């Protein structure tokens, strides 16, 4: 393919179409043009390709003077000569707009191809059309117009490696370019280098030099976009020419004085760091040398890219900086204080990235290099936390708005999502904690937030004695500064180190805590000072509790609560949010210690939810649930429920009538779900109202969503309402069955609604529905007895590890049903085969999926045991296939009741099919070892998972006293196994066990 071949001019018809598409003032003409475009693109592959070619010809046509007069006349006739007349008034600008419009139309046609009207498949370019477009695009990226080069490079990147499509499915796949694109781009770079070095035949200042310069700029722009989109794919299909890119880029960075060239060259290098091709590895020292030279460049954009490159190398290929860590750190410290905030932010990322490095790549020398800079680095980070002047002005204007009455701005309200609850005995690996670092009211990532996060991470990564001596002087200086914005930054720094330096900071908090309280309560404090002080107080809530609990300052929690509760009712909306967040932190840390203050807290919250707007309202509503979780059943004692339950129900009912899908209701309903469960039987006075409102909510939302397409998030109110009913079931226990007949509207419909929810299309709805089904089976099974067949079939159908959360709760609910069927195996006879096969698939898949099924495997092991307790014959026949994996699953169950059921069912199954021990694996020793280590799990302390416990200090615990009968059953069971496999096999297994394990089985299970 000849890239330099001449390109035919566009037709008058395509020019008429493009100008009509650009004419939004004539609605009829514009609509007609859209219809023509869609028809020509979708009628056939030939028409699609020809239309794309015509768009490309307009894009690559440098001037209308290249177009035949007949085509110009055809264009002019299409709209009475208006477009041609306008072009004559502005020939250069008007034609350039037309070329850009053609480029955008071409990009859209290639990246979002229409469906063929006959085959209903996406259009693909025919080979001849594809070849011609490649020629035009290559010529266009070296066009004299920067705008044309820009749109052409964007088309190439999007159609070769972009758009997140599979290899070969791109509009212009790299594999089809052969040896065209990359060699062409490299040639553009090398030609420019030749002129710069004086080795080219083109004389400086000639038209040839200008063409080479345009080619250089266009090729760099294209390379940058392609490498940013998918550097690995570009390398894979580029051939040997790819290895010439890095040397050319480094040469340009060294010899070219033009900022734009150096910026784009450096961008290309940065995009290749994660890929780290061999050509970059070979010249890494040269690259680092270039970065060193450019680090003091006069261009802030280049300095920013230098810092980004260093951070990327540190993150992905740390080994290349290990020997240069001190000099690199010194440079990044200097850059962190750069007057340009964008440069400073890129540099500050270095410290956060460093503090997050894995220990395997972060050497002692690297640690010492950064530590040696602490005297300068830590004060610099504190200084970086001060708001810049323009941000201060913005905040002052915002303060005035925050004091006003009225609804929050949409941009100030974060999206709210509900998290369905997971059931079962596996350890919960989810991190439920919200990132409270976001609560100092900085939603945007900036130098300030990056500096705070960096200080937090460094304080956690180094011993306190290495951090605090260098941090205290700038910290004290900031906290005592007369400028409130500097004090605000000091408080941010104080809060940032609470995790890493909490122990040693406790010795000084008697000095800092009163200062924070003062900033919170002072009438003349800036809202930002109040907010950040509330946040810091929340971060040090653990210290306030220690002081009060140890009687050093017995009233400190009370005084802290009084200060924070005062700010919950502040006039400023941001302060309200910060105070509510801090209150939540204090409650979670203090737990039952705040019981004496609950009445005051509840009354303040009741008043707050009446006046708070959306943002603060959602945070304050969450606190009711936080109290329930932290304090427990005590919130249901005496008169407390009468204080906080009615206002919540009143707000719920009122808002739900206005809009059942109002997302403000989510934190309210989440709190009610916790409250109903925790308050238990004391919630009875409001149980019927709560049940009816939840059912109305579910029914209303189901009806609304059935009439339109909806996202999964829009079903969150259904999930929350289902969780509230589940809370009632757990709280009222067997008495929930008595609640249903007292609801004339919803009592009889409840089972039907539950069936609907278990078959709902949204995963979260099914997940909560199965949690409710399992809890009803556990507490009041008669409620679902009539619909058990349909519910079990739905649960079995949802045992699919591809949807682990739904699958987990479905498995757990089946297990709870099994518990109630012990002594009545006929009730499960129609279902047991499907249940067993589904559970086996989970247990066996875990062998290949690693930890991805954590929690699900434990529930499968527990449910298998519960099914075996109903009738061990259900499980025993297939036991050899999964016995070892079942043993492993039993060992992981956290809930003791569920673990007991699993072991009891396991023993019954083995006793029913004893031969399974001999056939479960190729080597019977493996089976015995798996069983013994499963039994060992009963003795592992939950708070001590030290890897040395098997052979180090003996820390195994006795069998739980409440399950001593099971211990005896296991002892008998293990001795039967010993007799079955023979002394030789048993001794071989025992002798291979660690010393502490042998001691355990000798002392507890009487094995010599």
């Amino acid at each position: 393919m000849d890239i330099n071949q001449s390109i035919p001019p566009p037709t008058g018809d395509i020019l008429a179409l493009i100008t009509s598409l650009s004419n939004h003032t004539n609605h009829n003409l514009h609509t007609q043009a859209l219809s023509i475009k869609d028809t020509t693109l979708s009628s056939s592959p030939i028409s699609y390709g020809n239309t794309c070619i015509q768009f490309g010809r307009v894009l690559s046509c440098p001037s209308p003077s290249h177009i035949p007069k007949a085509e110009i006349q055809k264009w002019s006739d299409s709209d009475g000569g208006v477009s041609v007349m306008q072009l004559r008034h502005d020939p250069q600008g008007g034609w350039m707009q037309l070329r850009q419009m053609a480029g955008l139309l071409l990009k859209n046609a290639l990246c979002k191809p229409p469906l063929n009207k006959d085959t209903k498949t996406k259009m693909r370019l025919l080979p001849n059309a594809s070849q011609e477009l490649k020629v035009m695009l290559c010529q266009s990226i070296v066009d004299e117009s920067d705008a044309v080069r820009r749109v052409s490079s964007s088309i190439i990147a999007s159609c070769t490696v972009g758009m997140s499509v599979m290899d070969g499915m791109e509009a212009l796949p790299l594999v089809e370019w052969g040896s065209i694109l990359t060699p062409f781009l490299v040639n553009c770079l090398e030609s420019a280098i030749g002129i710069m070095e004086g080795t080219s035949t083109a004389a400086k200042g000639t038209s040839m030099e200008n063409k080479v310069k345009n080619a250089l700029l266009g090729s760099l722009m294209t390379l940058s976009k392609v490498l940013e989109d998918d550097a690995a794919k570009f390398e894979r299909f580029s051939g040997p020419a790819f290895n010439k890119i890095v040397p050319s880029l480094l040469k340009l960075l060294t010899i070219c004085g033009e900022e734009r060239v150096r910026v784009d060259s450096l961008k290309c290098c940065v995009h290749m760091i994660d890929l780290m091709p061999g050509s970059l590895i070979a010249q890494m020292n040269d690259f680092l040398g270039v970065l060193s030279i450019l680090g003091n460049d006069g261009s802030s954009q280049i300095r920013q890219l230098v810092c980004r490159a260093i951070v990327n190398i540190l993150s992905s290929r740390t080994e290349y900086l290990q020997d240069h860590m001190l000099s690199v750190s010194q440079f990044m410290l200097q850059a962190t204080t750069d007057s340009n905030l964008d440069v400073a932010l890129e540099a500050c990322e270095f410290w956060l990235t460093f503090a997050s490095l894995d220990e395997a790549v972060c050497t002692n020398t690297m640690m010492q290099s950064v530590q040696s800079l602490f005297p300068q680095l830590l004060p610099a980070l504190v200084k970086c936390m001060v708001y810049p002047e323009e941000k201060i002005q913005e905040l002052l204007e915002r303060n005035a708005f925050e004091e006003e009455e009225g609804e929050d701005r949409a941009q100030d309200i974060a999206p709210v999502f509900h998290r369905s609850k997971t059931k079962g005995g596996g350890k919960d690996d989810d991190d439920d904690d919200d990132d409270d670092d976001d609560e100092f009211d900085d939603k945007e990532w900036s130098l300030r937030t990056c500096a705070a996060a960096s200080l937090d991470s460094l304080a956690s990564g180094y011993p306190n004695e290495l951090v605090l001596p260098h941090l205290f002087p700038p910290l004290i200086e900031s906290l005592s500064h007369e400028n409130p914005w500097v004090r605000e930054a000091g408080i941010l720094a104080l809060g940032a180190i609470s995790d890493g330096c909490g122990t040693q900071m406790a010795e000084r908090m008697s000095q800092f805590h009163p200062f924070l309280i003062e900033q919170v309560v002072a009438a003349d404090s800036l809202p930002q000072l109040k907010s950040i002080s509330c946040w810091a107080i929340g971060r040090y809530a653990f210290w306030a509790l220690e002081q009060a609990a140890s009687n050093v300052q017995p009233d400190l929690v009370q005084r802290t609560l009084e200060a924070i509760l005062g700010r919950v009712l502040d006039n400023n909306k941001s302060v309200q949010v910060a105070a509510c967040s801090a209150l939540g932190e204090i409650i979670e840390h203090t737990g039952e210690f705040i019981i004496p203050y609950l009445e005051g807290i509840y009354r303040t919250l009741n008043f707050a939810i009446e006046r708070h707007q959306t943002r603060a309202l959602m945070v304050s509503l969450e606190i009711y649930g936080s109290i329930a979780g932290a304090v427990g059943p005590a919130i249901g004692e005496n008169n407390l429920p009468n204080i906080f339950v009615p206002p919540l129900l009143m707000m719920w009912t009122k808002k739900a009538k206005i809009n059942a899908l109002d997302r403000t209701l989510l934190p309210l309903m989440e709190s009610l779900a916790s409250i109903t469960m925790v308050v238990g039987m004391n919630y009875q006075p409001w149980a019927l109202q709560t049940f009816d409102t939840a059912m109305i909510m579910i029914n209303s939302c189901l009806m609304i969503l059935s009439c339109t397409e909806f996202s999964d998030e829009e079903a969150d109110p259904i999930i929350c309402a289902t969780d509230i009913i589940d809370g009632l079931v757990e709280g009222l226990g067997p008495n929930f069955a008595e609640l249903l007949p007292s609801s004339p509207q919803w009592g009889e419909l409840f089972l039907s609604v539950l069936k609907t929810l278990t078959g709902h299309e949204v995963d979260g709805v099914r997940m909560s529905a199965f949690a409710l089904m399992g809890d009803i089976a556990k507490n009041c099974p008669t409620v679902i007895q009539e619909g058990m067949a349909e519910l079990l079939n739905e649960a079995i159908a949802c045992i699919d590890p591809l949807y682990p959360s739904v699958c987990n709760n479905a498995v757990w609910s089946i297990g709870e049903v099994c518990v109630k069927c012990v002594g009545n195996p006929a009730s499960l006879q129609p279902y047991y085969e499907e249940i067993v096969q589904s559970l086996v698939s989970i247990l066996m898949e875990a062998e290949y999926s690693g930890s991805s099924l954590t929690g699900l495997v434990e529930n499968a092991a527990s449910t298998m045991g519960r099914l075996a307790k109903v009738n061990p014959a259900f499980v025993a026949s297939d036991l050899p296939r999964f016995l070892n994996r079942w043993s492993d699953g039993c060992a992981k169950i956290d809930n003791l009741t569920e673990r007991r059921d699993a072991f009891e069912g396991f023993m019954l199954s083995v006793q029913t099919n004893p031969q399974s021990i001999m056939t479960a694996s190729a080597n019977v020793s493996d089976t015995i070892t798996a069983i013994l280590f499963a039994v060992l799990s009963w003795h592992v302390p939950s708070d001590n998972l030290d890897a040395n416990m098997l052979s180090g200090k003996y820390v195994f615990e006795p069998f739980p006293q409440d399950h001593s009968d099971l211990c005896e059953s296991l002892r008998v069971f293990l001795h039967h196994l010993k007799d079955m496999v023979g002394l030789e096999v048993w001794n071989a297994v025992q002798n291979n066990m660690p010393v502490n394990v042998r001691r355990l089985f000798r002392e507890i299970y009487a094995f010599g």
Side-chain angles (χ1 to χ4, degrees):
M1 184 173 68
D2 182 10
I3 293 178
N4 297 314
Q5 70 187 62
S6 61
I7 300 172
T11 64
D13 290 335
I14 200 69
L15 293 171
L17 177 63
I18 295 174
T19 51
S20 297
L21 289 169
S22 306
N23 186 0
H24 295 277
T25 58
N26 189 330
H27 177 72
N28 291 334
L29 185 63
H30 181 72
T31 303
Q32 183 181 4
L34 286 172
S35 176
I36 294 172
K37 180 193 67 128
D38 293 341
T39 300
T40 57
L41 287 173
S42 61
S43 61
S44 71
I46 293 176
S47 177
Y48 171 70
N50 287 339
T51 306
C52 289
I53 287 173
Q54 287 298 324
F55 286 148
R57 288 177 179 177
V58 177
L59 173 67
S60 59
C61 184
S63 167
S65 62
H66 291 71
I67 304 173
K69 290 183 179 180
E71 298 300 329
I72 292 289
Q73 186 61 48
K74 188 183 296 185
W75 177 24
S76 178
D77 292 343
S78 69
D79 63 355
V82 174
S83 297
V84 174
M85 185 67 68
Q86 290 176 340
L87 187 64
R88 288 173 180 165
H89 284 297
D90 183 15
Q92 188 171 357
W95 184 246
M96 189 55 57
Q97 289 179 4
L98 208 63
R99 294 178 72 186
Q100 288 179 267
M101 180 68 176
L104 294 174
L105 288 168
L106 174 60
K107 180 179 178 180
N108 191 63
L110 293 174
C111 296
K112 298 178 181 178
L115 296 178
N116 186 311
K117 67 180 183 64
D118 296 323
T119 64
K120 304 305 179 185
T121 58
K122 285 188 176 182
M123 282 291 188
R124 299 282 292 170
L125 289 170
L126 297 176
N128 62 330
S130 176
Q131 288 294 90
E132 186 170 347
L133 279 171
K134 291 168 189 171
V135 172
M136 287 188 286
L137 289 171
C138 285
Q139 292 189 18
S140 296
I141 62 173
V142 301
D143 194 272
E144 64 179 14
S145 165
D146 180 69
V148 171
R149 294 196 299 268
R150 193 171 300 280
V151 70
S152 302
S153 64
S154 177
I155 294 172
I156 290 177
S158 299
C159 295
T160 56
V161 299
M163 309 310 290
S164 301
V165 294
M166 295 186 298
D167 290 352
M169 296 303 293
E170 304 89 349
L172 299 170
L174 275 171
V175 68
E176 295 179 3
W177 284 75
S179 57
I180 300 173
L181 181 60
T182 308
F184 174 73
L185 297 174
V186 170
N187 183 63
C188 292
L189 303 183
E190 292 179 340
S191 298
I193 292 171
I195 290 180
M196 294 176 197
E197 292 185 324
T199 60
S200 172
T201 57
K204 291 192 175 183
T206 65
S207 60
M208 177 61 71
E209 184 191 16
N210 290 333
K211 288 182 179 179
V212 172
K213 179 181 176 181
N214 292 335
L216 171 63
L217 294 173
S219 60
L220 284 173
M221 193 183 301
T222 305
L223 276 173
S224 176
K225 291 177 180 178
V226 170
L227 290 168
E228 181 180 15
D229 284 351
D230 196 333
K233 186 187 292 186
F234 185 57
E235 180 192 32
R236 190 161 64 249
F237 294 108
S238 286
F242 185 87
N243 294 326
K244 297 180 180 180
I245 295 176
V246 170
S248 297
L249 293 173
L250 295 182
K251 179 66 73 172
L252 287 168
L253 287 169
T254 304
I255 67 175
C256 185
E258 186 169 341
E259 178 182 350
R260 182 173 176 183
V261 172
R262 288 181 292 137
V263 167
D264 283 349
S265 298
L266 194 49
K267 280 182 180 178
C268 292
C269 292
V270 170
H271 295 324
M272 281 198 278
I273 290 174
D274 284 342
L275 175 66
M276 197 57 71
S279 55
L280 183 55
I281 293 174
Q283 297 197 264
M284 180 54 69
N285 287 335
D286 293 337
F287 182 43
L288 293 176
V290 169
L291 292 178
S292 178
I293 294 171
L294 295 178
N296 295 313
D297 195 275
S299 165
S300 60
Q301 195 173 1
I302 288 177
R303 297 199 306 276
Q304 184 180 352
L305 286 168
V306 168
C307 294
R308 186 179 302 168
I310 293 173
V311 171
N312 286 359
I313 296 172
L314 178 68
S315 175
S316 60
R317 300 306 291 263
T318 313
E319 66 270 20
Y320 293 115
L321 295 183
Q322 287 176 344
D323 295 337
H324 312 282
M325 194 62 188
L326 181 57
S327 59
V328 170
S329 298
Q330 289 170 336
F331 165 73
M332 296 303 275
L333 172 58
Q334 176 187 337
T336 302
T337 60
D338 196 288
S339 58
N340 184 285
L341 294 181
D342 292 329
V343 175
L345 173 57
E346 290 287 352
C348 195
E349 295 270 9
F350 178 84
W351 313 111
L352 183 59
T353 301
F354 168 77
S356 306
L357 288 176
D358 189 273
E359 293 181 1
V361 297
C362 188
T363 64
N364 288 334
T365 302
M366 295 175 68
M367 294 287 289
Q368 292 167 5
S369 296
V370 172
Q371 179 199 326
S372 68
L373 299 179
F374 275 5
Q376 299 81 38
L377 173 60
L378 299 185
L381 291 177
V382 175
K383 188 175 181 180
C384 287
M385 295 181 207
V386 181
Y387 282 113
E389 189 59 38
E390 58 271 22
K391 185 66 176 181
I392 290 175
Q393 295 305 315
E394 178 187 327
L395 290 171
L396 290 174
E397 294 175 6
R398 177 178 166 184
N399 288 345
F401 173 82
E402 294 280 359
E403 298 287 344
E404 297 173 359
E405 297 294 332
E407 292 291 332
D408 291 325
R409 300 177 301 175
Q411 62 264 36
D412 292 330
I413 302 173
V416 183
F417 303 104
H418 174 68
R419 179 182 295 170
S420 300
K421 56 184 177 181
T422 302
K423 288 287 191 176
K427 292 180 174 64
D428 185 6
D429 292 330
D430 289 339
D431 183 6
D432 270 340
D433 295 333
D434 293 329
D435 186 1
D436 59 1
D437 288 348
D438 290 338
E439 298 303 340
F440 52 78
D441 210 31
D442 278 352
K443 298 181 180 67
E444 60 179 319
W445 187 246
S446 63
L447 176 60
R448 162 187 166 83
T449 50
C450 184
S454 299
L455 180 60
D456 186 350
S457 298
L458 289 170
S460 299
Y462 283 89
N464 290 183
E465 58 271 18
L466 297 180
V467 175
L468 293 180
H470 304 295
L471 181 60
F472 270 133
L475 186 60
I476 297 296
E477 180 183 353
S478 297
L479 294 176
S480 58
H481 204 281
E482 62 180 14
N483 186 331
W485 298 101
V486 176
R487 292 203 303 276
E488 195 274 349
I491 296 172
L492 173 56
L494 177 63
I497 62 172
S498 62
D499 282 343
C501 300
T503 302
Q504 285 206 12
M505 285 301 297
E507 301 173 4
R508 294 183 176 249
M509 281 309 296
S510 57
Q511 171 189 358
F512 292 129
H513 202 271
F515 170 80
L516 295 175
I517 295 291
E518 180 183 347
Q519 305 304 305
V520 169
V521 301
D524 59 346
S525 278
L526 280 169
Q528 284 70 31
L529 266 177
K530 294 178 183 177
S531 296
I532 199 68
S533 299
C534 286
W535 172 77
I537 287 172
R539 297 274 287 186
Y540 286 99
F542 67 90
W543 175 81
L545 174 62
E546 292 171 359
Q547 292 287 297
S550 60
N551 274 330
V552 176
Q553 298 186 68
D555 63 340
L556 183 58
V557 170
Q558 180 181 355
R559 287 189 283 115
T560 303
L561 284 171
E562 289 173 354
I564 296 297
L565 288 173
R567 296 284 69 81
V568 167
L569 303 178
D570 196 274
N571 291 328
N572 184 280
K573 298 173 184 176
S574 292
V575 175
Q576 294 169 0
V577 172
C580 287
S581 299
L583 179 59
E585 284 289 309
I586 293 170
I587 288 167
E588 289 183 15
H589 279 91
T590 53
E592 294 181 355
F593 199 86
I594 65 164
I595 291 176
Y597 317 112
L598 283 179
E599 182 173 344
I601 293 173
Y602 279 131
R603 294 193 185 280
T604 301
L605 288 175
N606 290 346
F607 188 58
I609 62 175
E610 291 181 3
R611 60 176 294 192
H612 282 180
Q613 297 303 319
T614 305
R615 190 161 49 113
L617 176 61
M618 290 191 292
V619 182
S620 55
L621 287 170
E622 288 175 359
I623 299 176
Y624 289 93
S626 298
I627 297 174
V631 177
I635 68 169
E637 296 175 359
N638 302 319
N639 192 48
L640 283 178
N642 289 305
I643 297 174
F644 66 85
V645 173
L648 291 177
L649 294 180
M650 184 183 302
M651 174 171 283
W652 183 22
T653 304
K654 180 180 178 181
K655 283 184 172 288
K657 284 182 179 178
I658 299 172
N659 179 10
L661 299 178
D662 184 354
R663 301 194 73 79
T664 307
L665 291 171
L666 299 185
L668 187 156
M669 291 193 287
E670 288 171 344
S671 290
L672 278 174
S674 298
I675 289 167
T676 51
M677 179 177 63
V678 166
V679 174
M681 290 298 295
N682 289 340
Y683 195 83
Q684 279 186 309
W686 306 279
L688 179 58
Q689 179 186 353
T690 302
F691 173 76
D692 282 347
T693 307
M695 291 295 292
I696 292 171
M697 191 86 176
I698 292 171
N699 188 60
S700 299
C701 292
L702 287 174
M703 291 180 63
I704 293 171
L705 297 181
S706 68
C707 300
T708 181
E709 292 186 8
F710 61 92
S711 64
D712 286 2
E713 289 77 20
E714 290 179 282
D716 283 349
I718 300 176
I719 300 171
C720 288
T722 305
D723 290 346
I724 288 175
I725 297 176
D726 195 11
L728 286 172
V729 172
E730 292 190 78
L732 299 179
N735 293 288
F736 179 78
E738 301 175 9
L739 176 66
L740 295 184
S742 61
S743 174
Q745 183 179 2
W746 298 107
E748 293 184 0
L749 294 175
F750 172 70
L751 184 56
S752 175
V753 171
L754 178 59
K755 293 176 189 176
T756 300
L757 297 179
T758 57
H760 199 274
E761 62 187 275
V762 174
D763 294 349
V765 174
R766 296 200 305 279
M767 184 178 172
S768 286
F770 286 125
L772 175 57
M773 170 186 161
D775 279 322
I776 292 175
K778 183 178 182 179
N779 291 282
C780 43
T782 56
V783 170
I784 57 175
Q785 189 167 345
E786 291 183 8
M788 186 60 71
E790 293 177 65
L791 291 173
L792 272 177
N793 284 327
E794 285 287 359
I796 293 169
C798 286
I799 302 180
D800 184 353
L802 289 177
Y803 305 93
S805 297
V806 179
C807 179
N808 184 82
N809 282 11
V811 169
W812 176 82
S813 67
I814 292 172
E816 292 298 336
V817 170
C818 290
V819 171
K820 298 302 179 181
C821 292
V822 172
N824 182 24
S827 57
L828 290 179
Q829 185 74 31
Y831 314 102
Y832 81 87
E833 289 182 351
E834 279 191 89
I835 295 174
V836 169
Q837 294 309 312
S838 298
L839 297 179
V840 169
S841 68
I842 294 172
L843 294 172
M844 300 309 292
E845 185 170 340
E847 185 174 7
Y848 308 103
S849 302
S851 60
S852 63
L853 300 178
T854 298
L856 183 53
V857 173
E858 291 90 315
N859 271 336
S862 171
T863 298
M864 189 74 83
R866 290 175 162 182
L867 181 62
K869 288 180 68 175
V870 176
N871 184 351
F874 288 166
V875 174
S877 61
D878 210 17
L879 190 56
R881 185 155 67 98
F882 63 91
L883 188 148
N884 288 11
R885 300 306 306 168
W886 190 9
S887 297
D888 294 341
C890 289
K892 298 174 182 176
I893 301 172
D894 191 41
N895 181 283
L896 292 186
T897 300
E898 294 175 12
R899 190 196 299 179
R900 177 188 179 113
D901 287 342
F903 274 87
E904 288 179 340
F906 181 86
M907 289 189 290
L908 287 170
S909 300
V910 172
Q911 290 163 4
T912 303
N913 183 6
Q915 193 59 30
S916 61
I917 294 294
M918 311 302 295
T919 57
S921 59
N923 190 338
V924 69
S925 298
D926 294 338
T927 302
I928 299 300
T929 301
I931 294 173
L932 290 177
F933 272 96
V935 173
L936 178 69
S937 67
W938 285 96
H939 303 276
V940 175
S942 58
D943 58 348
N944 184 356
L945 299 178
D946 188 350
N948 296 320
M949 73 166 61
L950 298 180
S951 302
K953 180 182 178 182
Y954 188 86
V955 295
F956 290 127
E957 296 178 344
F959 208 94
Q961 187 63 38
D962 293 344
H963 301 277
S964 57
D965 57 326
L966 177 61
C967 180
E968 180 58 31
S969 297
L970 284 171
R971 184 184 296 115
V972 173
F973 175 74
L974 292 177
H975 279 275
H976 281 318
L977 287 185
K978 178 181 177 182
D979 294 339
M980 185 186 308
V981 301
L983 194 59
E984 182 179 352
V985 172
W986 189 268
N987 286 341
V989 171
Q990 189 168 280
N991 291 337
N992 284 327
M993 287 190 166
V995 59
N996 286 343
V997 178
R998 292 201 301 271
R999 175 182 167 183
L1000 173 75
F1001 281 101
R1002 181 175 65 251
E1003 294 179 356
I1004 305 296
Y1005 299 97
F1007 287 107

